[in-house]
């Protein structure tokens, strides 16, 4: 019977505790439960779903691991306040060190930060500007000693957007930061021109302080180009 497509292979059905997880998620959504709301006991779900309490317990543990639920010993199971922490804890370890991963993560961070820097320019106060200048001064001192300053670099980017008081933005920046460093091993890469990297950060701060959105965006963009150059130089050194 030419011209007919072959039958699709059978797929393995999801395990029982995965199915129970989805049922629990559906219960939370259907009842519009919020952070801090209690769930019924395991026996309720076991009876409603026709499964063992052990299956319900496994599903609850799985949802705890991704930050959906929390168990309070001796009290019960509750909906947990949303947090990026489970993603932070797992994403970086799930990425390899392939160049494609590094490029994609670098691009995500660049788009996120350059796209939102205008709000920082509008909102930032003198306290945060002073904190940024303190961090960049530590960068300069370490750069002059030809030392890396990954910790200060991370602190700089957190401070740059702190004034926006956007928890999701803060979480995403941290996700991309950790994953990028894991994928690129950037914290341990040799920087042939640390003073240039310090200067990038210094000029970003001064552009923000001058309330110059375009200049701040331009300096951020240049900074991300510099990051990829550092990675490329280290790859050439390794391969050479």
């Amino acid at each position: 019977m030419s011209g007919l497509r072959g039958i699709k292979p059978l797929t393995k059905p999801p395990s029982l505790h995965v199915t129970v997880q989805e049922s629990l998620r559906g219960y939370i959504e259907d009842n519009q439960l919020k952070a801090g709301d209690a769930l019924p006991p395991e026996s309720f779900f076991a009876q409603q779903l026709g499964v063992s309490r052990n299956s319900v317990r496994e599903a609850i543990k799985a949802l705890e691991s991704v930050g959906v639920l929390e168990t309070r010993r001796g009290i019960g199971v509750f909906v947990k306040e949303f947090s990026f922490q489970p993603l932070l804890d797992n994403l970086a370890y799930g990425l390899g060190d392939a160049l494609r991963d590094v490029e994609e993560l670098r691009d995500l961070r660049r788009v996120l930060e350059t796209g939102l820097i205008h709000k920082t320019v509008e909102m930032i106060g003198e306290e945060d500007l002073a904190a940024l200048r303190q961090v960049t001064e530590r960068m300069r001192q370490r750069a002059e000693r030809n030392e890396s300053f990954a910790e200060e670099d991370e602190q700089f980017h957190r401070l740059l957007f702190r004034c926006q008081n956007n928890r999701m933005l803060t979480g995403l920046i941290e996700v991309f930061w950790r994953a990028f460093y894991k994928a690129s091993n950037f914290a341990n890469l040799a920087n042939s021109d640390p003073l240039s990297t310090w200067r990038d950060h210094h000029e970003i701060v001064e552009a923000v302080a001058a309330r110059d959105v375009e200049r701040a965006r331009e300096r951020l963009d240049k900074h991300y180009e510099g990051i990829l150059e550092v990675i490329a130089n280290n790859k050439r050194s390794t391969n050479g």
Side-chain angles (χ1 to χ4, degrees), residues 13-31:
S15 59
L16 183 59
H17 82 274
V18 172
T19 304
V20 177
Q21 281 182 57
E22 293 307 310
S23 295
L24 292 179
R25 287 180 186 270
Y27 179 88
I28 293 168
E29 292 173 2
D30 292 345
N31 290 280

Side-chain angles (χ1 to χ4, degrees), residues 102 106 109 153 157 177 180-181 184 186 189 197 200-201 220 222-233:
V102 176
R106 189 279 309 257
R109 283 188 57 206
D153 202 334
H157 288 267
W177 182 269
F180 174 82
Y181 266 43
S184 65
F186 190 71
L189 295 184
T197 303
D200 284 345
H201 291 87
L220 262 176
K222 181 179 181 297
H223 173 49
Y224 281 109
E225 288 299 329
I227 288 173
L228 210 57
E229 285 177 15
V230 170
I231 295 168
N233 288 338

Side-chain angles (χ1 to χ4, degrees), residues 16-64:
L16 183 59
H17 82 274
V18 172
T19 304
V20 177
Q21 281 182 57
E22 293 307 310
S23 295
L24 292 179
R25 287 180 186 270
Y27 179 88
I28 293 168
E29 292 173 2
D30 292 345
N31 290 280
Q32 299 181 338
L33 299 184
K34 306 298 181 186
D37 289 345
L39 265 64
E42 291 174 1
S43 57
F44 168 82
F45 291 113
Q47 182 178 10
Q48 291 290 308
L49 297 172
V51 298
S52 68
R53 290 182 62 177
N54 189 55
S55 293
V56 175
R57 195 171 298 121
E58 285 185 35
I60 289 172
K61 287 180 179 178
L63 291 175
E64 282 184 300

Side-chain angles (χ1 to χ4, degrees), residues 45 51 65 67 70 105 110 133 137 159 176 180 190 206 231:
F45 291 113
V51 298
S65 70
E70 63 176 331
L105 286 163
R110 178 163 66 174
R133 284 175 170 142
E137 175 59 18
L159 285 169
F176 294 145
F180 174 82
E206 295 313 311
I231 295 168

Side-chain angles (χ1 to χ4, degrees), residues 168-208:
M168 183 169 288
L169 171 62
T170 301
L172 283 171
I173 288 174
E174 192 170 353
V175 165
F176 294 145
W177 182 269
R178 289 196 190 179
F180 174 82
Y181 266 43
K182 173 66 176 178
S184 65
N185 198 29
F186 190 71
N188 297 317
L189 295 184
N191 185 345
S192 61
D193 193 358
L195 278 170
S196 177
T197 303
W198 157 74
R199 197 171 296 109
D200 284 345
H201 291 87
H202 170 73
E203 292 185 6
I204 290 167
V205 175
E206 295 313 311
V208 170

Side-chain angles (χ1 to χ4, degrees), residues 71-170:
T71 297
R72 300 175 189 172
R73 190 175 298 276
I75 302 176
V77 178
F78 297 81
V79 178
K80 191 173 183 179
E81 184 176 2
F82 175 77
S83 170
F84 276 100
Q85 197 59 47
L87 183 57
L88 289 172
D89 292 340
N90 292 293
L91 178 59
Y93 293 97
L95 290 165
D97 59 356
L99 179 60
R100 179 183 175 190
D101 289 333
V102 176
E103 289 176 331
E104 289 176 353
L105 286 163
R106 189 279 309 257
D107 288 344
L108 285 169
R109 283 188 57 206
R110 178 163 66 174
V111 169
L112 185 65
E113 294 196 17
T114 58
L116 289 169
I117 191 64
H118 70 282
K119 280 195 169 185
T120 287
V121 171
E122 293 169 5
M123 300 172 67
I124 197 164
E126 291 303 318
E127 183 179 344
D128 282 339
L129 283 171
L132 283 164
R133 284 175 170 142
Q134 288 173 2
V135 171
T136 54
E137 175 59 18
R138 292 200 300 274
M139 287 181 178
R140 183 188 64 78
Q141 292 172 3
R142 300 195 71 170
E144 288 179 345
R145 296 193 297 267
N146 204 35
E147 297 175 355
S148 63
F149 38 81
E151 184 178 336
E152 288 83 1
D153 202 334
E154 180 178 1
Q155 187 180 4
F156 176 92
H157 288 267
R158 284 203 311 268
L159 285 169
L160 191 60
F161 294 94
R162 183 172 68 177
C163 64
Q164 297 190 27
N165 197 29
N166 184 328
R167 287 191 302 169
M168 183 169 288
L169 171 62
T170 301

